[in-house]
């Protein structure tokens, strides 16, 4: 301690709650200024974490500084004998812990020596609070930058005083242009005055409000629909200050609702008109038939002709009503086809039988496909609607033909696992300038026969029905040379027992496996996977299969009809397969049923986790058929929780032909092995799965544009399953992420994920097609 520092001054410094140091500044040979403590009080010792005062004084000053540049700045200031006020710097203790101090330095002279006294105030808590505040503000900024909502505030006069910056990104309006304006100033046309009056009455009594929707006029003349929610703000003295809240762009929502309202109104109108028209038609047609069949008072020939015209006109009007209702149902998406395997011979015999009666009345010859024609046995279609489509094409070919003309029906295999139906006629043909309007509703071209009744909407409905059944329709026609209309629909495997391999050899017989007789319940939300499992089970005489498309159904079914074993897909919408397992295990009625996990995830940790959860075994998609059936036999025989063989152990050891990178090699092995065991329809299913991948990505994009999160989640889930079948790991991972994002309220990330999916699919599509071709060629 300097000898001049004695008495009251010493007591003042030593007992001060602030850390105090007296510094001597010296210059070394290079001119650098250094500092050394010659006095420090106990508050400084505690602040700097020194054990003793001697330790603190002897410790080099530089060691306690985090930033050497800051120390040099302070030393230069003190060496120049200038005052330093409130200089903030981060310091470090001997144990490595850091703290912040605010330093104020004052030049002094003690005993004739020029020194500096430095006061140290601990500001660590304040700095931490500032850092937390900055991070919190940065977090809020990040949220707002990515949010689809904005923040707003209004003063007591209900004028806008604040809008978050993201309003410009969302609405295309600079916030500053709206300050000082009321919402009335920004109203677009066609607003509901009554709704606004009720809203203003609510604001006058300072009520909070939620989801108030109104039109907003943008500078460029564009109209946006916005939804705002807000609550009143009061001062500490409980005086009204204004409102604050959030806003969002709901233009798509409002416009979709408007379209739904129009569609609903149209449906209600059509339904009502149908009733109003059918009621008198019932009387007209009914009484005309009574007149026609009256044997007591038979009609004269002239009266019979009149009644015949009444019946013909009434039947035509009834047909028109039915077709308009069909068209409305398709437009409103209320019509959902019931797809199944339909026998091609059966549907053709049915339709051609009726067409031949009509053709005979018009002196037209109908030619059927010859009995030996090599046509696919089954087609995937809605039986009733396929019948409607074929009858419409046949009746058109007959009605618009020439006297003594002909109609030919053909059926055969189309491209890419489809069935092609073709109706050709020898009629006058369709002029080229009418081709682009042929499928337009209520369109009939001028040189059609005037004596032929028609609504002009038959082909429009036919096209829509074909497309709803995942098919295509087209035609070729040349004036004076007739027309040919065709449709293609997905082929169906039908019953595997009716088929053989392409080389004529029978498919593998799995009945040699030791599998006890059993009823299987397969819980799977993907119809394609369920169909494949049905084909596999049909190959084994001892097994029968029921399916459930949701975990909820998979929980309820066993309580009514107890299965011998359950195959449980893990990635189900809603309740997961694992949660369904826990519920089944907790119920005494279903506790003892063996349950096998089914998943596209083939990692060892996934398999181990499933066993830990209580599954009796684990099989992976795509299925190794013998491994799947072997696992079923093992679990059914033991009735225990012993794990079945994992996918890695069951994989074929043989070399895999071709280069299928970047698809997973184990998936390729299982797919190639399955192709040799199952009938050709198995490959058809896989082709449909592959074709659905880009379709599902397109569905995701449309769902994102409409903010339809449920549709988005469903499409992502199906895409994940289809991609995993082929071992497309990157697509599977991105689809999984998209499924997770779709479950949240913020869909911002989805666009980027969809673009990744499109890129990844473009990279793997040629490889998948090559793989499917190799499977088909054996």
């Amino acid at each position: 301690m300097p000898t001049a520092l004695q008495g009251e001054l010493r007591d003042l410094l030593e007992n001060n709650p602030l850390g105090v140091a007296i510094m001597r500044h010296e210059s070394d040979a290079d001119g650098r200024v250094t500092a050394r403590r010659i006095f420090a009080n106990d508050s400084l010792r505690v602040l700097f974490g020194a054990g003793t005062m001697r330790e603190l004084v002897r410790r080099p000053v530089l060691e306690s500084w985090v930033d050497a540049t800051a120390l040099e700045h302070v030393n230069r200031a003190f060496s120049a004998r200038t005052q330093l006020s409130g200089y903030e710097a981060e310091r470090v203790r001997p144990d490595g812990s850091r703290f912040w101090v605010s330093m104020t330095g004052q030049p002094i002279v003690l005993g004739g020596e020029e020194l500096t006294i430095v006061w140290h105030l601990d500001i660590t808590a304040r700095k931490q609070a500032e850092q937390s505040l900055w991070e919190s503000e940065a977090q809020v900024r990040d949220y707002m930058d990515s949010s689809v909502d904005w923040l707003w505030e209004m003063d007591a006069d209900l004028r806008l005083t604040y809008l978050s910056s993201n309003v410009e990104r969302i609405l295309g309006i600079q916030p500053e242009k709206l300050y000082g304006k009321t919402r009335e100033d920004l109203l677009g046309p066609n607003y509901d005055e009554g709704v606004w009056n009720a809203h203003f009455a609510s604001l006058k009594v300072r009520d909070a409000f939620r989801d108030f929707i109104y039109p907003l006029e943008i500078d460029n003349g564009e109209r946006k629909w916005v939804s705002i929610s807000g609550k009143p703000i009061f001062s500490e003295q409980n005086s009204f200050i204004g409102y604050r809240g959030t806003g969002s762009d709901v233009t798509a929502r409002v416009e979709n609702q408007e379209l739904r309202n129009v569609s609903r109104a149209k449906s209600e109108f059509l339904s009502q008109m149908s009733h109003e028209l059918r009621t008198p038609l019932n009387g007209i047609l009914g009484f005309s038939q009574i007149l026609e069949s009256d044997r007591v008072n038979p009609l004269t020939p002239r009266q019979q002709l009149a009644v015949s015209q009444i019946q013909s006109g009434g039947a035509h009007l009834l047909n028109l009503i039915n077709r308009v209702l069909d068209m409305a149902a398709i437009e409103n998406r209320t019509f959902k086809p019931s797809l199944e395997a339909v026998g091609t011979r059966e549907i053709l015999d049915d339709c051609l039988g009726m067409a031949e009666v009509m053709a005979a009345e018009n002196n037209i010859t109908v030619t059927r496909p010859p009995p030996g024609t090599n046509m696919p046995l089954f087609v995937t279609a809605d039986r009733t609607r396929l019948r409607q489509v074929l009858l419409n094409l046949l009746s058109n070919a007959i009605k618009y033909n020439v006297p003594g003309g002909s109609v030919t029906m053909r059926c055969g295999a189309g491209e890419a696992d489809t069935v092609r139906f073709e109706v050709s006629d020898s009629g006058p043909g369709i002029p080229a300038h009418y081709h682009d309007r042929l499928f337009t509703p209520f369109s009939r071209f001028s040189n059609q026969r005037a004596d032929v009744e028609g609504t002009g909407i038959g082909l429009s409905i036919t096209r829509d029905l074909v497309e709803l059944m995942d098919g295509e329709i087209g035609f070729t026609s040349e004036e004076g040379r007739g027309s040919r209309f065709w449709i293609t629909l997905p082929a169906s495997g039908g019953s595997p027992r009716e088929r053989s391999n392409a080389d004529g050899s029978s498919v593998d017989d799995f009945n040699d496996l030791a599998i006890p007789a059993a009823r299987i319940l397969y819980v799977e939300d993907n119809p394609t996977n369920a169909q494949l499992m049905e084909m596999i089970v049909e190959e084994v005489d001892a097994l029968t299969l029921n399916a459930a498309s949701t975990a909820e159904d998979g929980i309820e079914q066993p309580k009514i009809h107890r299965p011998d074993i359950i195959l449980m897909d893990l990635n189900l919408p809603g309740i997961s397969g694992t949660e369904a397992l826990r519920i089944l295990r907790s119920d005494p009625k279903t506790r003892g049923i063996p349950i096998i996990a089914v998943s596209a995830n083939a990692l060892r940790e996934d398999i181990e986790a499933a066993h830990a959860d209580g599954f009796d075994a684990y099989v992976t998609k795509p299925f190794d058929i013998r491994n799947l059936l072997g696992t079923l036999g093992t679990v059914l025989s033991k009735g225990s929780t012993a794990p079945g063989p994992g996918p890695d152990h069951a994989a074929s050891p043989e070399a895999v032909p071709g280069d299928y990178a970047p698809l997973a090699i184990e998936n390729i092995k299982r797919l190639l092995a399955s192709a040799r065991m199952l009938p050709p329809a198995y490959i058809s299913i896989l082709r449909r799965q592959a074709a659905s991948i880009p379709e599902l990505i397109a569905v995701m994009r449309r769902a994102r544009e409409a903010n339809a999160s449920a549709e988005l989640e469903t499409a992502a889930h199906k895409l994940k399953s289809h991609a995993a079948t082929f071992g497309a790991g990157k697509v599977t991972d991105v689809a999984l992420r998209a499924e997770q994002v779709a479950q949240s309220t913020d869909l911002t990330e989805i666009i980027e994920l969809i673009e990744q999916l499109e890129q990844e699919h473009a990279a793997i599509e040629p490889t998948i097609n090559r793989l499917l071709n190799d499977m088909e060629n054996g």
Side-chain angles (χ1 to χ4, degrees), residues 412-684:
E415 297 179 355
D417 294 303
T418 60
V419 179
R420 181 182 173 103
F421 297 91
E422 193 175 281
V423 177
S424 58
D425 64 64
S426 60
I430 302 168
H433 58 279
Y434 283 109
H435 285 194
D436 59 348
R437 293 161 45 195
L438 198 60
F439 293 103
T440 303
F442 305 104
S443 175
R444 301 187 75 198
F445 53 89
S446 58
N447 65 341
Q448 282 185 330
R449 286 170 52 188
D451 60 327
V452 176
E453 293 178 343
T455 62
I457 59 175
L459 281 176
S460 173
I461 294 173
T462 296
R463 178 199 58 191
D464 292 338
L465 290 175
V466 169
E467 291 178 352
L468 282 169
M469 293 186 289
D470 298 324
E472 295 181 353
I473 184 170
F475 75 98
T476 58
S477 183
E478 185 178 345
E479 195 167 4
R481 303 193 64 177
S483 304
R484 176 181 290 125
F485 283 80
W486 56 265
I487 65 168
T488 60
L489 293 167
S492 171
S495 171
R497 284 178 171 74
E498 298 175 11
R499 293 185 319 280
S500 61
N501 286 330
D503 61 359
S505 62
S506 61
V507 298
D508 282 6
D509 185 4
F510 299 111
N511 289 295
D512 59 344
L513 297 171
I515 303 176
R519 294 184 302 275
I520 302 171
L521 174 61
Y522 184 28
V523 186
E524 169 63 74
D525 65 307
N526 187 313
T528 303
N529 291 334
Q531 183 182 4
L532 174 59
M533 183 63 71
E534 183 180 354
M535 292 175 58
I536 294 171
V537 170
E538 283 183 350
E539 291 295 318
V540 183
D541 295 334
L543 300 178
T544 58
L545 181 76
N546 288 328
S549 60
T550 66
E552 291 83 355
D553 192 20
I555 294 167
E556 293 302 318
Q557 275 199 41
K559 299 176 184 177
I560 303 170
H561 303 290
R562 181 184 174 92
D564 297 300
I565 194 167
I566 297 174
L567 291 168
M568 179 73 70
D569 184 63
L570 296 184
N571 296 310
L572 295 167
I575 298 177
S576 69
T578 302
E579 183 60 27
L581 168 77
R582 296 192 183 102
I583 295 172
L584 289 167
R585 291 284 191 247
S586 65
D587 189 331
K589 294 181 180 179
T590 56
R591 183 177 299 151
I593 302 174
I595 304 177
I596 297 176
V598 180
S599 175
N601 298 327
L603 296 177
R604 187 167 299 279
E605 52 263 34
D606 296 321
I607 299 171
E608 292 172 352
H611 284 301
D613 288 330
F615 283 100
D616 294 277
Y618 190 103
V619 295
T620 60
K621 296 182 280 188
F623 299 125
D624 180 317
I625 309 301
R626 286 196 171 271
N627 176 50
L628 168 65
L629 295 176
T631 301
L632 280 169
T634 299
V635 175
L636 285 167
S637 299
K638 293 184 178 180
S640 68
T641 57
D648 292 338
H649 304 294
S652 171
E654 62 185 325
V656 180
D659 178 13
Y660 300 107
L663 304 181
I665 190 66
E666 292 304 325
N667 293 66
I668 302 303
K669 289 180 179 179
R670 283 192 291 274
L671 287 169
L672 291 172
S674 299
R676 291 189 291 272
M677 297 178 190
L678 281 176
Y682 171 66
I683 300 175
S684 299

Side-chain angles (χ1 to χ4, degrees), residues 339-345 347 376-383 386 390 411 417-421 469 487-494 688:
L339 301 180
E340 58 179 320
V342 178
T344 51
R345 283 285 181 190
I347 196 72
L377 294 176
F378 298 94
V379 60
T380 300
D382 182 305
R383 184 184 302 272
L386 176 57
L390 293 176
C411 179
D417 294 303
T418 60
V419 179
R420 181 182 173 103
F421 297 91
M469 293 186 289
I487 65 168
T488 60
L489 293 167
S492 171
R688 288 204 293 276

Side-chain angles (χ1 to χ4, degrees), residues 162-234:
Y162 170 75
L163 285 164
S164 55
S165 59
N166 62 334
V167 75
E168 184 171 1
R169 170 174 58 83
I170 298 170
L171 294 181
I173 304 176
Q174 294 179 358
E176 296 78 10
K177 292 186 177 182
L178 303 184
Y179 292 158
K181 294 184 178 181
T182 67
R183 284 183 292 142
E184 288 177 283
D185 298 331
L186 306 171
L187 273 177
N190 304 322
Y191 67 91
D192 190 325
E193 187 174 352
V195 171
W196 270 94
N197 289 338
H199 180 57
F200 284 132
S202 174
L203 296 181
K204 286 181 179 179
V205 295
R206 313 311 182 207
D207 284 342
F209 59 92
R210 184 177 183 83
D211 197 25
F212 181 74
I213 298 175
Y214 65 96
L216 188 68
E217 192 72 25
I218 309 299
D219 290 343
N220 60 8
E222 181 185 4
R223 185 178 72 164
K224 294 270 191 179
W225 286 89
V226 299
S227 167
I228 61 169
S229 301
K231 61 179 294 184
I233 315 167
F234 297 94

Side-chain angles (χ1 to χ4, degrees), residues 178 200 246 276 319 336 340 359 396 445 517 611 647 715 747 768:
L178 303 184
F200 284 132
T246 62
E276 296 298 329
N319 182 50
K336 302 293 182 184
E340 58 179 320
N396 281 351
F445 53 89
H611 284 301
L747 302 181
I768 292 177

